[in-house]
Structure formats: structure tokens, C-alpha cells
Amino acid sequence: MAGVTDRPFRRLCLQMGAGLVVSEMVTSDVRLWNTRKSRLRLEHSGEPEPRSVQIAGGDPEMMAEAARRNAEMGAQIIDINMGCPAKKVCNKAAGSALMKDEALVKDILTAVVGAVDIPVTLKIRTGWSPDQRNGVTIARIAEDCGIQALAVHGRTRSCMYRGEAEYDTIAEICSALSIPVIANGDITSPEKAKQVLDHTGAQAVMVGRAAQGRPWIFQEIAHYLEHGTYLPSPSLETICNILLDHLQELHSFYGDVMGPRIARKHVGWYLQTTDGATAFRKQFNQLETPAAQIAGIREYFTHLIEGKEFAA
Ligand SMILES: Cc1cc2nc3c(=O)[nH]c(=O)nc-3n(C[C@H](O)[C@H](O)[C@H](O)COP(=O)(O)O)c2cc1C
């Protein structure tokens, strides 16, 4: 997820029970890789395996080159983005816009699979629009081209993020394919993960937004799927420690200026449901240094743990 699944967050999700994590998407236009943002997205040192890197673009040769270069730089899986509805991506005929052009999908997948000797996976939506739900056709093309696993977000491109995800098309895709299918969209709890797996016959589920500020959702889901029982919710002390580790990773990955800025949105996610968070966040967002952020979080959680109001 662009702006979310950076290296610190991927590491944390893996530690918290995710089976596989994928990098933020990287443009296939290698001429744009020299920006600080792209360099950080392409940085994998010390990253746990397997390292899956997502590429986005609409030109088969450029996508193939991007895949080759990422494999050289340490990617162990190449994931192709045909799921992103953002205008910035779609206007250039990339992301989910590609699903409109089945011949081009085939060309891109063939070029990328042929360019690298590591597995290539694909992320799609269920179609271009509710009346052009061609997810099954695209899925068949993907399997024929040698794609090794397919993630499907249960919305069409025109649905953006509106409405509820639907899982019937994912179920159809699962029956049509023999490669593993990963079901995605609105999975926010262990029960929902189980329902979606049962309904679709998918081999795995993928969790996006529900992991923001709640990376322990992966162990909650894994535990429920394995044992049919719930893990107790993490205590405030545990959440505080997870968040402090996360902040420290963000500070060291992005540095003392950018790190605290990027940390703010994550802190907002962690504190979505905690008491007195609105007042605290206002104050937290003024803090500019790593040390001040760490001290601020410690103080806020100490108040919470002692059951005291946070006074801004
Ligand atoms: C902020 C944001 C950024 C995203 N970036 C990407 C991306 O780079 N590549 C991708 O395949 N999907 C991306 N997605 C889509 C998610 O991977 C996922 O398909 C979608 O959010 C539905 O799953 P969820 O309901 O579990 O969040 C993004 C979603 C959000 C909210």
C-alpha cells in the first residue's frame, strides 16, 4: 500500500504474524527511481524474506525492465499492480485501468514473467466496472501467462473504495484457477477472514487498511483460523511497546526530519479508538523530533494505563 507498507511497517506486520508482505508500489519508469521516495521504496537491506516488490506501469518492456532491476536489487517476488484505481496511476494506463485492455494485460504479464526467474504474482480488482466484471477472464490470462499467485480485491475499478467488497467474483475466480488466490477487501476481523475463506475457497486472505495502527490483526486472524478461539486483545502496555518500536524504526529509516512527519499518520491510526486521543494528537502533531515523539507517546500511555485523562 502506497504511503503505508514501507520497510518499517512490513517488518512489523511480519513480526505480528503476517505470512507475506508486499512493498509499496514502485513505478516501472526506472528514470524516476532516483528520487528519495523511490530510493526508500527500493531499499531492502536487512529486510526479512521473502521480499515481494510491487511494480506499476502500462508498458510491457518497461515493466519487464523494472522487474529485472528489482530482482537484481534483492526482490524475491515481483508483484504486478493491476488493482490501484488512483487517477495518477490510471491516467497513464496502469493499475486497474489495465483491466480494460485484456490484450495488453497478456503482453505485460508475458513480458514480466519472461524477464525474471523469480515468482511473479498479480493483484487485480474484480473488473473495470460492475457491468464489466472481467476478473475471471483476467485471472485465466494470468494463470496462462505463468503468474504464480493472484490477489483479488473484491471491488471493481469504478467502485474505488465505496460500498462493500463482494466475494462472489472472487469465489468464481478461485474455481476457475489452480494457482493460489488471495482474497482481499474489507477483512477487518478474524471472523470475517474465516467467512471470506469459506465463501471464496481462496488459499489466503490479504488485509490492508485494518492493519493500519493494528498490526497485531495478523496474529489474531492466524490464531483464530488455527484454533477457532480468540487471542486476548493486546494490553495498553503491549500496544505502547509496539508503537514505540514502530516509531523508532520509522525515525531510523526516514531520518530525524522526515521520520517524525511520517510517524504522525501511523500514531493517528494507533490512537483511533483510545481515550482522549483527539487532544493528544493535536499536541503530538506539533512535535518535531524523534525524542519528543517517543517521550510524548510514553507520557500519553502512562496516563491511559493509570486511567487518567490526558490534559492537552
Ligand atoms: C492508502 C492506500 C494505498 C494503497 N496502495 C496500494 C498499492 O500501492 N498497491 C496495491 O496493489 N493496492 C494498494 N491499495 C489497495 C489495498 O491493497 C487493498 O486492495 C484495498 O485497500 C482493499 O483492502 P482492505 O479493505 O483490506 O484495505 C491501497 C489502499 C490504500 C487505502
Side-chain angles (χ1 to χ4, degrees), residues 200-216:
T200 58
Q203 274 73 21
V205 284
M206 173 185 279
V207 177
R209 290 164 296 174
Q212 294 173 172
R214 212 177 127 204
W216 50 88

Side-chain angles (χ1 to χ4, degrees), residues 1-2 4 24-25 54 81 123 153 155 161 184-187 206-210 212:
M1 291 165 75
V4 183
E24 298 173 271
M25 66 181 168
Q54 188 181 69
N81 181 337
K123 163 87 179 305
H153 175 190
R155 285 186 176 83
Y161 289 93
N184 168 243
D186 297 348
I187 295 166
M206 173 185 279
V207 177
R209 290 164 296 174
Q212 294 173 172

Side-chain angles (χ1 to χ4, degrees), residues 12-13 42 82-84 97 123 149 154 172 175 190 204 231 270 277-278 283:
L12 181 58
C13 292
L42 295 160
M82 291 191 190
C84 183
K123 163 87 179 305
E172 268 182 71
S175 349
L231 272 183
Y270 279 92
T278 316
Q283 187 181 317

Side-chain angles (χ1 to χ4, degrees), residues 32 63 73 76 110 126 167 187 191 215 252 273 281-282:
L32 304 176
M63 288 287 274
M73 287 186 293
Q76 294 167 314
T110 308
T126 50
Y167 307 106
I187 295 166
E191 302 91 311
S252 75
T273 56
R281 277 180 59 195
K282 243 190 209 152

